[in-house]
Amino acid sequence: MNSAEKLISYAREGHFQEALPQLLEIARRPGGARGPVWEAAAASIQILLWLDRPGEAADLAESLIRADAPSGGELCDQDMPFDEALLATPEASSEAVAGRLAAVAGAVPTGRVLRERLNWLSQQLTQRPLAELTPGFEPWGVPLPPSGAKHRSPLVERDFETLTADEQRVVWKSLRTANDFPRAHELVAQGGHTPPQYAECSWMAGWYAVQGDMEGGEAMLLAAHGRWHPYMKWDAIPTDPVLQPTLRLVVTDRVREHYLTRPIGPEAK
């Protein structure tokens, strides 16, 4: 475990703000070992976004890519959270964000993952709203179509209390896939159940947000915290609650404090 990984683990113990200065020091270290540098930068970006400092996150992503990507190192095979940081450029139009993405992509060698991702996002911004490209997007507020029920698992029609834990997970995932919030809300409100996975909790939090139910959205984001697991070893904290405009509506002070000060992922076990 390198120095960055140790600091990221320390951050996931609930010490995000304490770990940030050291992570930034590694991320900005000229000529340092490239793995730890970009890993520290990735974690720093995530923490900066939770601290509501998106401008610093975007600038860190751009400066790292411009300095490190031309050499063709392993940074060029990444996308998250560098793409997310650039998407979150504050107070900028979609056209300005698209231009920045394209310009930064030019620093990455042709054919590499990061270049392809940044160029794709830049192109998509000319056709789709920024919110749809931001992590965690779901079709919140869209009524369930008449054919929607046909796409749900047959398990949805069975007595939820009689299902095994695995079958219940299938039901929650099926409801999210069908965007069937009414049935999911029924399980929460009448049965006292909570989705066992992060993605379903996040989906429900967004629905509560569009309905103006702050309490319900807050509760789902708090539940999601205990169900999140790192995607990669550098992954410190999920960013979709503070990046996705709909979810941000229910990121209360309580939610922000909870995510920044409580152990999360493997460190919470």
Side-chain angles (χ1 to χ4, degrees), residues 12 28 37 49 59 77 83 113 115 130-131 142 150 152 160-161 170 174 181 204 207 229 232 244 248 256 269:
R12 285 198 300 254
R28 293 166 175 161
V37 168
L49 291 171
D59 290 346
D77 297 319
D83 55 348
V113 169
R115 182 184 180 109
L130 178 61
V142 178
K150 295 181 181 179
R152 300 184 315 192
F160 191 81
E161 306 288 349
V170 170
S174 175
F181 174 72
M204 291 201 70
W207 264 102
H229 301 283
M232 299 289 283
Q244 179 53 236
R248 281 181 64 91
R256 198 176 294 270
K269 300 295 185 288

Side-chain angles (χ1 to χ4, degrees), residues 67-85:
D68 192 61
S71 66
E74 57 188 43
L75 171 65
C76 301
D77 297 319
Q78 315 305 315
D79 50 12
M80 301 179 299
F82 308 105
D83 55 348
E84 301 171 5

Side-chain angles (χ1 to χ4, degrees), residues 117-251:
R117 174 64 176 170
L118 297 181
N119 277 329
W120 182 83
L121 287 172
S122 177
Q123 294 163 7
Q124 288 297 306
L125 277 171
T126 65
Q127 309 166 37
R128 299 164 60 186
L130 178 61
E132 288 188 11
L133 298 170
T134 304
F137 175 75
E138 298 276 1
W140 294 298
V142 178
L144 182 70
S147 61
K150 295 181 181 179
H151 302 291
R152 300 184 315 192
S153 165
L155 291 172
V156 172
E157 309 306 325
R158 290 174 51 184
D159 182 352
F160 191 81
E161 306 288 349
T162 68
L163 301 178
T164 66
D166 285 344
E167 288 173 333
Q168 290 181 355
R169 291 168 76 93
V170 170
V171 168
W172 285 112
K173 184 175 182 179
S174 175
L175 293 174
R176 174 180 165 234
T177 300
N179 203 31
D180 189 350
F181 174 72
R183 173 58 177 151
H185 174 63
E186 182 181 305
L187 291 176
V188 174
Q190 298 181 16
H193 301 285
T194 303
Q197 293 181 289
Y198 178 88
E200 280 67 54
C201 285
S202 178
W203 165 68
M204 291 201 70
W207 264 102
Y208 286 125
V210 299
Q211 294 193 338
D213 185 348
M214 293 291 293
E215 184 177 346
E218 178 187 71
M220 277 298 158
L221 285 184
L222 293 174
H225 177 275
R227 291 155 171 78
W228 179 80
H229 301 283
Y231 175 66
M232 299 289 283
K233 57 188 177 183
W234 53 260
D235 208 0
I237 188 170
T239 55
D240 47 311
V242 290
L243 285 179
Q244 179 53 236
T246 300
L247 293 179
R248 281 181 64 91
L249 296 173
V250 288
V251 176

